[in-house]
Amino acid sequence: ESVKSTSSLMADREQDVPDFDSIKDAEQRKRAFVAYLLPSYQQVTSDILSQRKQLGKLQQQLQDGILLSDGQLTWLQGVANQYRQELTDNHSDDIDRLLVRVDILPPELVFSQAATESGWGTSRLARKSNNYFGHFCQSASCGITPYRSNVVRAKKFSSPEMAVRAYMQNLNSHPAYSKVRELRADMRANEQPMDAVVLAKGLRRYSTQGDGYVKRIQGMIRSNKQYWRSSGMNPAIHRR
C-alpha cells in the first residue's frame, strides 16, 4: 500500500473542509468545528511535547556534568530562535527559560479562541485562508484584505494545522503574552492541570477589547464544556 506525501495529505484535508455555515443546528456546527481542528491541535501539541522532552534530556545531561555536543548546541540554538530567546553561556539556565515557552496550551483555550475569532469556522478568513485565529500582517503579499480594511491584511495559511501552529508560536514567544506563559509555568511548578480560564487572563493584548476580550474567551470556555469533552481530547495532555 502506498504512503501519501504530507502535501497530498494536506490537499485531501483541504477538500474535506466542512461548510460550517450550512450547518444550521448550532450544536452540530460546534461539534463539527472542534472535530475538524482537533487533528491539527494534536499534531502541533505532539511536536511541542517532543521539543520539550528533548530539552529535558539536555537539561539532565548538563546536570550529569556532560557538555552538549556541537549538534545538540545547534539544535538548541534553533529552538531558541524559534521561540525568540537569546542563548547565554549558561545553557542550563537557557533551557529552564525555554521550558517556560516550549509548552502546550489546553484545547479549551485554543478552540475557544478559534471559535471566537472565526465564528465557529464561518468567517470569510477561515473559509478562504484557513485563518481561524485572526492573524494579521502588514506585507501586501502575506494574505488577503479583510472587510472594511485597506491597511492591514489577514494572513493566509496553507492548512488549518499551519494556523494552529502559528497561533501556538505566537502565544509561546510574543512578549504580549508573557503573562500566559508565567501562569502556565506556575501550574507546571505546582503540578496542577492547566486551567484554561486562568490562562485566558493573559490574553488581554490579543484584542483591542482588552479585559472584555478576556471575559469573552472565559465565557466561551465555560459555556462550551460539552464540546471539549465530546471531542475525544485526552484530559491527561494537560498534565504532561
Side-chain angles (χ1 to χ4, degrees):
E1 185 177 347
S2 63
V3 178
K4 287 189 175 182
S5 66
T6 301
S7 59
S8 296
L9 290 171
M10 283 188 175
D12 287 350
R13 184 118 179 89
E14 288 178 1
Q15 292 173 0
D16 294 336
V17 179
D19 182 359
F20 296 111
D21 206 25
S22 70
I23 305 175
K24 301 307 179 184
D25 182 87
E27 287 194 9
Q28 290 182 10
R29 184 190 306 125
K30 290 180 179 182
R31 293 186 194 282
F33 178 78
V34 174
Y36 178 65
L37 286 185
L38 180 60
S40 297
Y41 170 83
Q42 290 175 323
Q43 182 59 59
V44 175
T45 293
S46 176
D47 292 345
I48 293 173
L49 289 173
S50 292
Q51 287 181 318
R52 189 174 173 84
K53 183 178 180 180
Q54 180 62 20
L55 286 170
K57 288 181 178 179
L58 296 185
Q59 185 70 288
Q60 184 60 55
Q61 178 178 320
L62 290 170
Q63 290 174 358
D64 292 340
I66 305 172
L67 296 178
L68 302 184
S69 68
D70 289 343
Q72 289 172 328
L73 286 172
T74 298
W75 181 86
L76 185 63
Q77 183 65 66
V79 174
N81 292 342
Q82 178 184 346
Y83 290 88
R84 299 184 186 182
Q85 179 177 305
E86 295 288 334
L87 292 185
T88 67
D89 292 333
N90 189 327
H91 297 315
S92 182
D93 285 351
D94 290 336
I95 292 173
D96 282 340
R97 290 186 295 119
L98 272 172
L99 285 170
V100 174
R101 297 183 178 228
V102 184
D103 206 347
I104 62 173
L105 293 163
E108 306 97 300
L109 181 66
V110 178
F111 293 132
S112 289
Q113 280 205 268
T116 298
E117 296 292 338
S118 72
W120 293 95
T122 64
S123 72
R124 174 174 174 257
L125 297 184
R127 290 184 287 108
K128 300 292 186 181
S129 303
N130 286 307
N131 189 329
Y132 293 94
F133 297 94
H135 285 131
F136 290 89
C137 53
Q138 299 294 334
S139 171
S141 62
C142 73
I144 63 174
T145 304
Y147 293 129
R148 301 182 301 277
S149 174
N150 57 8
V151 180
V152 297
R153 296 175 71 84
K155 285 188 177 181
K156 187 171 184 176
F157 297 98
S158 59
S159 67
E161 180 182 318
M162 296 307 295
V164 174
R165 198 171 294 280
Y167 164 81
M168 292 276 211
Q169 177 73 19
N170 191 26
L171 264 62
N172 279 336
S173 62
H174 198 287
Y177 310 115
S178 60
K179 184 64 175 178
V180 174
R181 299 191 291 272
E182 290 171 8
L183 290 167
R184 181 178 60 189
D186 286 343
M187 293 172 191
R188 287 287 194 190
N190 293 311
E191 298 184 348
Q192 298 172 338
M194 289 189 192
D195 188 327
V197 172
V198 173
L199 291 176
K201 294 178 181 179
L203 297 174
R204 190 173 182 277
R205 293 178 62 186
Y206 201 94
S207 166
T208 55
Q209 298 174 20
D211 291 334
Y213 184 78
V214 169
K215 292 178 180 178
R216 185 180 179 189
I217 297 300
Q218 290 175 326
M220 285 284 285
I221 295 168
R222 293 186 177 108
S223 63
N224 291 284
K225 289 181 180 179
Q226 67 269 36
Y227 305 111
W228 319 144
R229 282 195 290 262
S230 66
S231 67
M233 290 180 287
N234 182 6
I237 204 168
H238 296 216
R239 298 178 173 83
R240 291 182 187 175

